[in-house]
């Protein structure tokens, strides 16, 4: 799991003559998934039941080496894009930084509390958008008073009510884009030590994307660190000053946004 540094950020950005403060350090990080019961023949559940009945050990364990020896240091005030082909390990790396996946080898150190925002992050479908805003804010560490103060701003930012009073309807009535915008809006209402965003800007119209990009820049200026996974290179250009390029679990390149994107676009033929 991620190991948390004891020092907590002051909440203000460093002055120009102050040393940069590390917020995330990945040190030779390896993440390995193990998929059990992958032998030919019976499906996973049937094979598992058969092993229990016969008291036989699992046969066929497939290992997926999703992150392979990645090392980097992120600093306070940086916005870092993660790019790469599908299955390159971007989302896995975010989960490891958030402390949701154990390291096979190596370490992840974080300064402050990472907050992972994914498009598929769970809100409660049977509750209204209004109640989800309240519960989501509380879950992110806001007080009830802070949630009340920021509630209107969250709803306005999301654009949920632009075509009707959707905030009072159950989440199950929302489109996937509406739900994703609401998730981002809840997360963006709070200042973060380290904010991890997985494809959130891929949803919504260009107006919402512009609001999201502006909010990410504000979070950077408020001394947070932002990681953004996106397949939209324009979003990366607009919001990130540094990019990590992953391919098949390896860190292929780490550097300034334009330099890394140019190499990536040449690689992909984009």
């Amino acid at each position: 799991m991620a190991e948390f540094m004891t020092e907590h950020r002051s909440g203000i950005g460093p002055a120009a003559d102050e040393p940069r403060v590390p917020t995330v350090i990945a040190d030779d990080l390896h993440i390995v998934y193990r998929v059990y019961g992958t032998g030919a023949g019976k499906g996973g559940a049937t094979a598992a039941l058969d092993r229990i009945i016969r008291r036989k050990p699992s046969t066929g364990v497939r290992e997926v080496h999703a992150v392979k020896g990645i090392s980097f240091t992120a600093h306070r005030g940086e916005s870092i894009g993660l790019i790469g082909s599908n299955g390159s390990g971007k989302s896995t790396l975010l989960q490891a930084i958030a402390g949701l996946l154990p390291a096979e080898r190596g370490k992840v150190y974080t300064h402050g509390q990472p907050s992972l925002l994914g498009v598929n992050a769970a809100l409660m479908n049977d509750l209204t958008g209004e109640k989800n805003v309240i519960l989501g804010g509380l879950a992110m560490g806001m007080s009830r008073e802070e949630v009340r103060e920021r509630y209107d701003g969250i709803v306005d930012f999301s654009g949920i009510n632009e075509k009707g009073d959707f905030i009072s309807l159950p989440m199950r009535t929302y489109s996937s884009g509406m739900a994703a915008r609401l998730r981002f809006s809840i997360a963006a209402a709070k200042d973060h030590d380290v904010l991890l965003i997985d494809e959130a800007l891929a949803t919504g119209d260009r107006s919402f994307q512009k609001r999201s990009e502006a909010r990410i820049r504000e979070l950077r200026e408020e001394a947070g660190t932002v990681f953004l996974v996106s397949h939209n290179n324009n979003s990366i250009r607009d919001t990130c000053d540094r990019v990590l390029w992953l391919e098949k679990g390896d860190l292929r390149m780490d550097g300034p946004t334009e330099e890394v994107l140019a190499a990536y676009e040449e690689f992909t033929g984009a």
Side-chain angles (χ1 to χ4, degrees):
M1 290 292 189
E3 298 190 1
F4 294 95
M5 300 177 183
T6 55
E7 183 183 358
H8 191 77
R9 77 177 177 87
S10 64
I12 58 174
D17 58 347
E18 292 181 357
R20 296 196 301 168
V21 177
T23 54
V24 177
I25 299 173
D27 181 15
D28 191 28
L29 179 65
H30 293 258
I31 303 294
V32 176
Y33 293 107
R34 289 178 176 83
V35 183
Y36 294 89
T38 57
K42 299 176 182 178
T46 304
L49 180 59
D50 183 65
R51 290 195 300 273
I52 293 170
I53 294 172
R54 297 174 182 271
R55 296 186 177 180
K56 291 183 178 180
S58 174
T59 58
V61 179
R62 184 167 65 93
E63 291 190 348
V64 179
H65 202 160
V67 170
K68 303 173 182 177
I70 287 180
S71 297
F72 66 87
T73 300
H75 298 87
R76 181 182 297 171
E78 282 190 312
S79 182
I80 301 174
L82 271 65
I83 63 173
S85 307
N86 288 333
S88 61
K90 304 182 297 295
S91 296
T92 297
L93 180 58
L94 287 194
Q95 292 180 64
I97 295 171
L100 300 177
L101 289 175
E104 181 77 8
R105 297 197 309 276
K107 298 287 185 181
V108 176
Y109 303 93
T110 61
H111 180 175
Q113 177 63 53
S115 301
L116 175 61
L117 170 67
V119 168
N120 294 321
L123 294 180
M124 302 187 71
N125 282 333
D126 289 335
L127 297 183
T128 64
E130 177 182 3
K131 290 183 178 178
N132 271 297
V133 169
I134 295 169
L135 290 177
L138 294 174
M140 297 195 69
M142 297 185 210
S143 67
R144 290 184 178 275
E145 182 178 351
E146 287 175 324
V147 174
R148 284 195 296 269
E149 289 174 351
R150 303 180 190 188
Y151 175 83
D152 288 339
I154 291 171
V155 176
D156 290 344
F157 190 98
S158 71
I160 292 296
N161 276 356
E162 288 178 355
K163 296 183 179 180
D165 186 24
F166 283 97
I167 198 68
S168 64
L169 297 178
M171 284 281 295
R172 64 173 179 270
T173 66
Y174 291 11
S175 68
S176 59
M178 290 170 63
R181 295 201 307 272
L182 186 59
R183 292 185 190 100
F184 181 88
S185 301
I186 295 168
K190 181 180 183 293
D191 295 337
H192 298 269
D193 298 304
V194 179
L195 179 60
L196 312 166
I197 305 172
D198 196 349
E199 291 289 4
L201 301 189
T203 63
D205 57 21
R206 189 57 186 159
S207 175
F208 178 76
Q209 291 177 23
K210 285 291 187 184
R211 294 198 301 274
S212 302
E213 291 161 2
R215 179 54 183 150
I216 288 175
R217 287 190 289 270
E218 289 175 1
L219 288 167
R220 285 175 52 195
E221 292 166 1
E222 291 159 3
T225 304
V226 178
F227 286 83
L228 171 64
V229 169
S230 179
H231 288 98
N232 185 332
N233 289 354
N234 288 330
S235 290
I236 296 288
R237 282 190 169 91
D238 289 342
T239 57
C240 300
D241 48 19
R242 175 182 172 190
V243 171
L244 306 181
W245 172 14
L246 278 64
E247 284 296 334
K248 297 181 179 179
D250 293 312
L251 180 56
R252 185 166 182 140
M253 194 171 180
D254 173 5
T257 297
E258 284 300 333
E259 182 179 326
V260 178
L261 284 180
Y264 178 67
E265 289 169 350
E266 182 178 358
F267 173 79
T268 59

